[in-house]
Amino acid sequence: TTLQSPDQIHKLLQSLEQTYQLPSRDIRLSNLHLLLHSYEFDIIFITESWLNGDLSDSLLLSGSSYYILRKDRYDGYGGVLVFIQNSLKVVNNELTTDFLQLECIILDVMFSYRSMYRFVCVYNPPALANDISHTTLL
């Protein structure tokens, strides 16, 4: 199946969002694979990925033209996930040890010879919403 319209993409993304929020944490890989194979997005950001080490990068990628940066939470909740086209030049900026618990990926992407942009994918869990140290950093 190939996605043909923005409305179909929107419905697929809503389906993925609803799937990620299921208590069973049952990610619908077929929907994710459809998204990865139907359109040539340069970068896809996902928060609340609900992943841990149980799902490998290769299972998530399913032969797509992306590679993955991910920050899983040990308990399988929260987390962030970034799919990046293999053709892009990317620098993953590691957080200092003071902020390793933060669910965050910071990357610099070079789109052309003189065009570099910084992207940040972060999930701030509700339990930390009032934590001054995290809020100040964000």
Side-chain angles (χ1 to χ4, degrees):
T1 305
T2 301
L3 300 174
Q4 299 295 327
S5 71
D7 186 52
Q8 287 177 314
I9 294 173
H10 179 71
K11 287 178 182 176
L12 175 63
L13 292 175
Q14 282 181 324
S15 168
L16 284 170
E17 181 179 324
Q18 291 168 359
T19 301
Y20 283 121
Q21 294 176 3
L22 288 175
S24 68
R25 292 182 261 161
D26 179 26
I27 296 175
R28 293 190 184 169
L29 289 175
S30 60
N31 284 348
L32 178 62
H33 295 159
L34 178 62
L35 180 67
L36 294 176
H37 290 284
S38 293
Y39 281 89
E40 301 254 342
F41 295 111
D42 288 328
I43 305 172
I44 300 170
F45 297 93
I46 297 176
T47 60
E48 290 192 80
S49 58
W50 287 38
L51 296 175
N52 57 30
D54 294 344
L55 274 173
S56 68
D57 289 356
S58 60
L59 185 59
L60 292 168
L61 289 169
S62 180
S64 68
S65 61
Y66 294 89
Y67 66 95
I68 291 177
L69 296 175
R70 62 195 272 186
K71 174 76 181 214
D72 301 341
R73 198 189 305 170
Y74 69 92
D75 62 5
Y77 295 95
V80 291
L81 176 65
V82 181
F83 291 89
I84 304 159
Q85 275 291 346
N86 286 326
S87 60
L88 293 177
K89 294 179 181 158
V90 175
V91 175
N92 182 15
N93 298 290
E94 298 291 331
L95 294 173
T96 64
T97 54
D98 295 336
F99 301 105
L100 288 179
Q101 76 282 4
L102 190 63
E103 297 169 49
C104 179
I105 296 173
I106 302 170
L107 55 142
D108 295 330
V109 180
M110 182 170 281
F111 287 100
S112 66
Y113 176 68
R114 291 190 162 167
S115 177
M116 183 178 289
Y117 295 91
R118 174 162 287 171
F119 294 92
V120 178
C121 183
V122 64
Y123 174 64
N124 190 28
L128 296 177
N130 294 324
D131 183 332
I132 296 298
S133 64
H134 282 82
T135 306
T136 302
L137 178 64
L138 296 176

